[in-house]
């Protein structure tokens, strides 16, 4: 394979997150509460994925839209500290960097408060330039369903451009609060190699909660790998010939679920790009998710490749390179 500057480009949402932990679910019924803790860090699907991929040893570039403000500089500082290339971020003084407040309840579940019209809402497919694609092996779109100017046909154009240039592709999705669902991703799926949504997302896309029916629905697309993140039950992945289901490695109460799905797919794609077989990729994804679930924040505790291997050894899990 021709040598490239980047193993992966992570495109999508970038944020500066403010988290409050131990928030009582009765917050809206009373005039005030005391949170257990406070934490501020970078976040957003593309940033989370880029941090994990960089820490797992991939040469990673991140492409997102932010303002020219202090929040953007904080995000860039943390990306660069992880080893990600920030040369292809789009900074515009006319917009503000997304800075959501995230309330984490006593069960570790997150509840996000966003303000509209931030930089993410202006991200377009042409921001992922041909120059950048020419330098990369893989495109990972981390934020389908929440990028207003990218979702739908523009996302399909971006994935077609990537495939035409010889890149492999993957896509992660967020919950679609506007209800477009398949309209947002259908064109992109025609040029997508890896797609592993959550069970909630997959069941809405397919109109079924039956795993076999969901897989049958997605088998009509030329995906190399499809999967369903099953939360505390683990993950199911398939190449539409063989199917593997495995439990989660994290068997404790999560400290914070923010970024865990991003970390899983970043780990999966990283292992796939390193040449591992599908079950091994899923285990690496689970190990990377494990590193995030045990701490507050979307990516600050994302582990390295060595740490992922140490965890798998501790669980007596062998991983294997693919020789297909």
């Amino acid at each position: 394979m021709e040598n490239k500057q980047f193993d992966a480009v992570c495109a999508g949402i970038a944020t500066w997150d403010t988290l409050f932990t131990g928030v009582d679910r009765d917050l809206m019924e009373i005039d005030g509460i005391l949170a257990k803790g406070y934490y501020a860090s970078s976040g957003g699907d593309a940033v989370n994925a880029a941090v994990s991929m960089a820490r797992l040893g991939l040469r990673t570039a991140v492409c997102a839209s932010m303002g020219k403000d202090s929040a953007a500089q904080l995000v860039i500082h943390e990306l660069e500290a992880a080893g990600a290339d920030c040369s292809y971020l789009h900074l515009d003084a006319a917009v503000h960097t997304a800075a959501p407040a995230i309330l984490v309840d006593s069960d570790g579940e997150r509840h996000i408060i966003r303000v509209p019209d931030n930089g993410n809402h202006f991200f377009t497919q042409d921001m992922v330039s041909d120059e950048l694609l020419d330098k990369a092996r893989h495109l990972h779109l981390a934020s389908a369903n929440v990028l207003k100017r990218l979702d739908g046909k523009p996302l399909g154009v971006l994935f077609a451009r990537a495939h035409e240039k010889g890149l492999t592709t993957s896509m992660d999705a967020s919950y679609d609060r506007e209800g477009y669902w398949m309209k947002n991703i259908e064109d992109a799926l025609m040029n997508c190699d890896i797609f592993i949504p959550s069970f909630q997302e997959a069941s809405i896309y397919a109109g079924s909660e039956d795993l076999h029916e969901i897989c049958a629905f997605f088998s009509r697309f030329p995906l190399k790998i499809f999967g369903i993140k099953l939360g505390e039950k683990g993950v199911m992945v398939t190449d539409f010939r063989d199917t593997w289901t495995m439990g989660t490695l994290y068997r404790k109460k999560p400290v914070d679920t923010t970024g865990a799905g991003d970390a899983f797919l970043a780990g999966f794609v990283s292992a796939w790009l390193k040449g591992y077989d599908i079950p091994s990729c899923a285990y690496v994804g689970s190990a990377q998710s494990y590193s995030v679930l045990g701490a507050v924040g979307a990516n600050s505790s994302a582990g390295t490749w060595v740490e992922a291997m140490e965890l798998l050894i501790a669980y007596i899990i062998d991983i294997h390179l693919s020789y297909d």
Side-chain angles (χ1 to χ4, degrees), residues 154-315:
L155 183 57
V157 171
L158 173 59
F159 271 56
R161 286 172 52 217
H163 261 190
E164 287 168 2
K165 289 182 172 292
L167 284 76
T168 51
T169 56
S170 56
M171 180 167 57
D172 205 355
S174 297
Y175 189 87
D176 180 13
R177 290 172 176 79
E178 295 188 355
Y180 294 108
W181 293 102
M182 283 304 297
K183 289 182 179 179
N184 283 342
I185 68 167
E186 189 165 14
D187 288 347
L189 285 173
M190 299 308 298
N191 287 286
C192 184
D193 297 306
I194 301 173
F195 183 47
I196 308 178
S198 70
F199 174 75
Q200 181 186 33
E201 293 155 356
S203 61
I204 295 173
Y205 284 127
S208 173
E209 294 188 351
D210 182 271
L211 296 184
H212 296 291
E213 292 181 3
I214 294 172
C215 289
F217 176 85
F218 281 99
S219 68
R220 62 194 177 101
F221 298 100
L223 294 161
K224 288 183 172 68
I225 300 168
F226 173 69
I228 304 173
K229 290 175 284 193
L230 301 171
E232 63 183 15
K233 295 180 181 178
V235 66
M236 183 221 73
V237 288
T238 181
D239 59 4
F240 302 111
R241 297 186 300 273
D242 297 304
T243 299
W244 301 266
T245 302
M246 53 202 68
T248 180
L249 298 179
Y250 196 89
R251 298 164 188 171
K252 300 173 286 185
K253 183 178 180 180
V255 175
D256 176 16
T257 60
T258 309
D262 301 328
F264 172 84
L265 198 49
F268 188 103
V269 170
S270 296
W272 190 69
L273 290 172
K274 289 174 182 280
Y276 286 87
D277 64 18
I278 294 174
S280 299
C281 294
Y283 279 124
V284 174
S286 186
Q288 194 65 7
S289 182
Y290 185 108
S291 71
V292 169
L293 285 165
V296 177
N299 63 58
S300 59
S301 62
T304 65
W305 185 264
V306 170
E307 290 167 339
M309 296 304 101
E310 289 174 346
L311 180 64
L312 295 177
I313 289 170
Y315 276 84

Side-chain angles (χ1 to χ4, degrees), residues 17-177:
D17 296 343
T18 301
L19 296 91
F20 296 91
T21 62
V23 175
D24 195 310
R25 285 175 174 263
D26 293 332
L27 169 63
M28 301 304 293
E29 304 297 327
I30 53 181
D31 61 357
I33 61 167
L34 284 176
K36 183 177 291 186
Y38 162 84
Y39 189 83
S41 72
S42 62
D45 305 327
V47 171
N48 298 339
V51 167
S52 273
M53 287 185 184
R55 288 185 178 164
L56 288 167
L58 296 192
R59 298 163 300 164
T60 306
V62 60
C63 188
S65 174
M66 295 189 291
K68 289 185 176 180
D69 48 31
S70 58
Q73 294 308 309
L74 291 166
V75 173
I76 291 169
H77 173 76
E78 295 200 353
L79 281 165
E80 291 180 340
D85 189 294
C86 295
S87 303
Y88 294 90
L89 289 171
H90 293 262
L91 305 181
D92 186 345
V95 303
H96 67 273
T97 300
I102 302 174
L103 310 182
V104 183
D105 65 30
S106 57
D107 293 323
E109 293 296 325
R110 68 190 189 280
H111 310 271
I112 304 173
I113 304 172
R114 299 180 177 90
V115 176
D117 297 329
N118 56 65
N120 295 320
H121 292 183
F122 297 92
F123 188 78
T124 57
Q125 67 90 13
D126 59 312
M127 288 184 175
V128 186
S129 66
D130 285 343
E131 175 196 358
L132 177 55
L133 292 176
D134 285 336
K135 294 179 178 180
R137 295 172 54 205
H138 184 87
L139 171 66
H140 177 60
L141 191 285
S143 313
N145 288 333
V146 290
L147 295 165
K148 291 184 178 180
R149 299 195 182 188
L150 179 67
D151 289 329
K153 291 189 180 300
L155 183 57
V157 171
L158 173 59
F159 271 56
R161 286 172 52 217
H163 261 190
E164 287 168 2
K165 289 182 172 292
L167 284 76
T168 51
T169 56
S170 56
M171 180 167 57
D172 205 355
S174 297
Y175 189 87
D176 180 13
R177 290 172 176 79

